[in-house]
Amino acid sequence: MEDTSKYLIHANVTADGVVERSDVVGAIFGQTEGLLGDELDLRDLRQSQKVGRIDVEISSTAGQSHGHLTIATSLDKVETATLAASLETIDRVGPCRADLEVTEIEDVRAAKRKEVVNRAKELLQTGFDDSVMSSEEILAEVRQHVRVEDITEYEGLPAGPRVTDSDAIIVVEGRSDVLTLLKYGVKNAIAVEGTNVPDAVAELTRHRTVTAFLDGDRGGDLIFEELSQVGDIDYVAFAPSGTSVEDLDHHQLFASLRNKVPYDNVSGLNKPREAVAATDGSSTPAPAPDARRTHGSEAASPTSIDETSGSTDRSTGTANAAADATVAGEAAAEREVAGPSDSSSSAQSAASTDAGSTPAADADTTAEPAGPETVYGHASAIIRDGTDRVRFLDADGDTIDETDANDAYDALEDLESAPTTVVLDAILSQRLLDLAADRGVDRIVARSLGQFTKRPTDVRIHAIDDVAAERPDSG
C-alpha cells in the first residue's frame, strides 16, 4: 500500500485518561462506520487496499494520553479530505473522552518530488565528470597513445624506434624524456633510467655520434659525469636550469639541441652545465674550405679559433632533431664549403672594385635598392622576422612570388615556372616536400623540419638555423 499511496493523513489525538494504540484504532473504525456510506466505509477501504495501515504512536503522562496517527490513502483529493474530516467526529477513545484533530494531509508524490529534486542537485554537483575534453586535448590524447605505441626498447631500456639504425643518437635520463622527444618527431633517443649508466648505452655510444641531452639539475650533472667516464660523448646539451627535458615545449627542446656544444669544450670544466648554458653553440669555428665531415666528433674538434667568423657548427643538430644524420650532414658540408668560398669571392670582388671601379659604376651600385641578395638574406627577412609567409625564388635569387605560409602548397602548385628555392616561415610538411620534388625545386629553407616518412634526394632541405650566408649566384 505504501508504494501506491498518494496522500498521508496526519492527526493528533488527546484522551482524558490512559489509553493504548488498540483503543485509538478501535475508536476510528467504530465511530466512522456507516458515517460516509458504503463507498467510503473505512473497513471496505482497508480491504480494497485504498486505505493503508493506521499507524498510531501514543503515550500517557499525568493521567492524560497524547498521540499521533498516520493513515495512507490512494483515494483522490476529495475522498481523502472527506475521510480526514470524518476522523474529527471521534469524541471518545475507550472509556475516555477524547479529541482528534487532523493537522496535515501530505501529498506523498510532492514529498517524492522534493527528494528527487534534492538528489538531482547532489548529482549535478558530484555525479558528472566536469572535465569535458577540448579538441586540443582529444588530439593530444590520441598523439600520446601513438607516442606510447612508437616507443620501443633497446636492451631493456626505453628508446625511440630509430635508435637501432640511426648514425646519431640522443642519450636522455628517463622514459618520459624519450616520450617528449617522440612527441616532437625525434625518434633516435635512448634513456639511461638513472645515474648508473647501463653497459648497453656505454657500448652504443662507442659506435654512434652521441649527444647527451640532460636535465638542467643536479641529476643531469651526475649522469653527465658518469656517462663521460664509461661512454664516448660527442656533444652535450642541457635543458634550461631547473627544468627537465620532459617539461620542454617544441621551441625550447630544439633550441637546447641547437645550442649543444662539443664534449671537448666542457670535458675539463667543474660546472659543464653552466658552461653549456652560457653559450649559444656558436663558439665552434667553421672548418677550412676543403674540410669534409666524416664523423660528428671529428668535425667538432677545432683546429683554430677565429673570433670573427661567427659561424655555427650545427651539422648534427638537424640530424639529431630530425633523426636523419646522413642527409643533414651532407647539407651542412655543402654549406661549410660554400661559406668560405663566398667570403673569398666577396673579398676579390671588393678588391677589384677598389682597383678599377669608375664613379659611374659606383653611382649605379649606390642607386640599387637595398634588399636580400642571398638565400640567407631572404630566409632572415621571411622566417626570422616571423612573417608567416612563403617566398619563391628563381635561380638568381630574385622573388617570383610571395604569399601566406598556409597557402604555400596551392601557390607552388599554381606557379607557371617552378622556383629554384622556397623560403617558408612554417614547419615543412611531407605534402609540400613531395610537391616541391615533383616540380623540380632545388632547395627549401623552413622555420623547422617536420617528420618525414620519405625524403627526396633531389631537394635540399634546411631549417633556418642550418643555413649559412650565400651569394645570389650560389643558390
Side-chain angles (χ1 to χ4, degrees):
M1 177 62 195
E2 293 180 357
D3 294 338
T4 60
S5 60
K6 297 179 183 179
Y7 304 101
L8 289 176
I9 300 173
H10 296 278
N12 292 331
V13 59
T14 303
D16 295 332
V18 179
V19 297
E20 297 180 352
R21 174 185 178 280
S22 58
D23 296 326
V24 176
V25 173
I28 292 174
F29 279 104
Q31 295 181 43
T32 60
E33 185 176 2
L35 180 64
L36 301 177
D38 295 339
E39 292 184 0
L40 291 179
D41 183 75
L42 192 56
R43 294 184 188 275
D44 293 338
L45 293 175
R46 280 283 294 127
Q47 290 178 357
S48 63
Q49 296 187 345
K50 291 182 179 181
V51 172
R53 184 172 179 268
I54 300 175
D55 293 322
V56 179
E57 295 178 0
I58 195 164
S59 60
S60 301
T61 57
Q64 281 195 330
S65 299
H66 302 276
H68 180 81
L69 65 90
T70 303
I71 303 175
T73 81
S74 60
L75 303 172
D76 59 25
K77 286 184 177 181
V78 175
E79 292 171 335
T80 300
T82 302
L83 179 62
S86 70
L87 297 177
E88 294 186 343
T89 64
I90 298 172
D91 56 3
R92 297 187 70 83
V93 174
C96 305
R97 186 175 181 82
D99 180 65
L100 190 147
E101 180 185 5
V102 175
T103 58
E104 178 188 8
I105 299 178
E106 179 185 358
D107 189 335
V108 175
R109 293 167 299 181
K112 290 182 178 178
R113 282 193 292 267
K114 187 176 181 180
E115 292 180 1
V116 170
V117 170
N118 291 336
R119 180 55 179 160
K121 291 178 181 178
E122 293 179 4
L123 291 175
L124 281 173
Q125 294 176 350
T126 62
F128 289 96
D129 182 3
D130 292 333
S131 58
V132 179
M133 298 180 69
S134 64
S135 299
E136 292 78 6
E137 291 170 331
I138 292 172
L139 294 176
E141 186 81 13
V142 175
R143 290 193 186 102
Q144 174 67 21
H145 174 74
V146 172
R147 291 197 301 272
V148 172
E149 291 297 321
D150 282 345
I151 195 168
T152 60
E153 287 190 355
Y154 180 87
E155 299 291 335
L157 299 169
R162 293 294 306 278
V163 164
T164 55
D165 59 6
S166 178
D167 294 332
I169 63 170
I170 301 175
V171 177
V172 294
E173 181 173 343
R175 178 186 178 88
S176 57
D177 299 336
V178 176
L179 287 172
T180 298
L181 268 72
L182 280 174
K183 174 182 178 181
Y184 299 120
V186 182
K187 297 186 176 183
N188 59 338
I190 184 171
V192 296
E193 292 283 75
T195 56
N196 185 17
V197 178
D199 294 338
V201 175
E203 180 63 24
L204 188 64
T205 61
R206 298 186 179 95
H207 308 287
R208 312 291 176 88
T209 301
V210 178
T211 297
F213 189 18
L214 306 171
D215 295 345
D217 55 17
R218 178 59 178 163
D221 294 340
L222 295 175
I223 294 175
F224 170 75
E225 183 176 349
E226 177 162 349
L227 190 59
S228 63
Q229 295 176 11
V230 302
D232 183 6
I233 309 174
D234 297 300
Y235 294 95
V236 183
F238 283 96
S241 181
T243 62
S244 302
V245 172
E246 64 180 292
D247 299 327
L248 302 182
D249 60 25
H250 177 275
H251 297 292
Q252 291 173 325
L253 186 141
F254 283 103
S256 297
L257 284 175
R258 285 195 299 269
N259 293 343
K260 70 185 184 298
V261 298
Y263 169 75
D264 293 340
N265 288 12
V266 296
S267 60
L269 302 180
N270 291 330
K271 298 181 178 179
R273 172 159 55 90
E274 295 181 6
V276 173
T279 180
D280 62 354
S282 62
S283 60
T284 306
D290 58 347
R292 295 296 185 273
R293 202 161 281 195
T294 58
H295 188 272
S297 58
E298 231 176 41
S301 301
T303 56
S304 63
I305 302 299
D306 183 358
E307 296 291 344
T308 62
S309 68
S311 61
T312 303
D313 182 7
R314 291 171 180 165
S315 64
T316 60
T318 304
N320 290 342
D324 195 337
T326 305
V327 175
E330 293 172 354
E334 293 173 3
R335 291 196 305 277
E336 290 162 358
V337 172
S341 64
D342 290 345
S343 300
S344 60
S345 298
S346 299
Q348 291 174 1
S349 175
S352 90
T353 300
D354 292 340
S357 62
T358 63
D362 291 341
D364 292 341
T365 304
T366 306
E368 291 179 0
E373 296 182 353
T374 65
V375 171
Y376 184 77
H378 286 286
S380 296
I382 292 295
I383 303 174
R384 292 202 185 279
D385 290 346
T387 62
D388 291 326
R389 305 278 289 176
V390 60
R391 181 175 291 177
F392 303 101
L393 310 177
D394 61 17
D396 297 326
D398 297 328
T399 301
I400 299 175
D401 191 15
E402 182 177 324
T403 186
D404 289 339
N406 291 334
D407 301 326
Y409 185 90
D410 294 335
L412 178 58
E413 190 175 37
D414 294 340
L415 286 177
E416 292 185 7
S417 58
T420 301
T421 302
V422 176
V423 179
L424 175 68
D425 185 23
I427 299 174
L428 178 60
S429 65
Q430 180 74 63
R431 182 169 177 256
L432 183 59
L433 177 58
D434 291 341
L435 176 61
D438 293 340
R439 296 226 56 188
V441 174
D442 180 60
R443 174 183 297 175
I444 301 177
V445 181
R447 184 202 309 155
S448 60
L449 306 182
Q451 181 177 345
F452 306 118
T453 57
K454 58 180 180 178
R455 297 179 66 156
T457 58
D458 51 352
V459 181
R460 291 177 291 167
I461 58 176
H462 314 292
I464 177 65
D465 292 312
D466 300 322
V467 178
E470 299 177 69
R471 302 185 322 175
D473 58 2
S474 69

